Amino acid sequence: MHELSLMAAVRDQVLAAAQADGACRITAISLRVGALAGVEVDALRFAGPVVLAGTIADGAALRIEIEPATCHCAPCDASFEARDGCCDCPRCGTISRQLLCGRALQLLSLEVE
Ligand SMILES: [Zn+2]
């Protein structure tokens, strides 16, 4: 499962950040997932406890927010939200090739003790 390796990468990032902070326990992890990142949020929620088991983030709450995909239309010089992965401009119908955001999986913040 793709989400499992993504969560493993998040775990490594989280543990490194907590260590740098001198934290001994991670209680919550906030992530932002782009709507077009190709990530199943449910699978991510499932993968979290699996990869975090046995670490200082064991049992940490996983907060996931979805970042809408945003495209830029050159003819209109405007940005719009790409719904359902469709990048055609709602004003003029041009297919945008410029995806501004919505593809990334980002670590937003951590709560530690
Ligand atoms: Zn347009």
Side-chain angles (χ1 to χ4, degrees), residues 68-104:
T70 306
C71 289
H72 183 259
C73 175
C76 299
D77 192 23
S79 300
F80 60 92
E81 186 181 330
R83 292 181 187 275
D84 304 322
C86 293
C87 292
D88 45 330
C89 174
R91 287 187 194 83
C92 69
T94 301
I95 306 231
S96 169
R97 293 180 198 288
Q98 249 187 302
L99 189 61
L100 300 177
C101 61
R103 299 201 86 133

Side-chain angles (χ1 to χ4, degrees), residues 6-64:
L6 280 173
M7 270 317 290
V10 167
R11 173 198 60 203
D12 293 347
Q13 204 183 338
V14 159
L15 293 181
Q19 198 174 28
D21 236 27
C24 54
R25 181 121 205 103
I26 298 168
T27 52
I29 300 169
S30 299
L31 299 174
R32 178 184 287 157
V33 179
L36 296 183
V39 175
E40 287 285 341
V41 171
D42 286 346
L44 214 52
R45 286 193 195 282
F46 174 81
V50 176
V51 301
L52 297 173
T55 71
I56 61 166
D58 200 343
L62 207 52
R63 297 187 187 127
I64 299 174

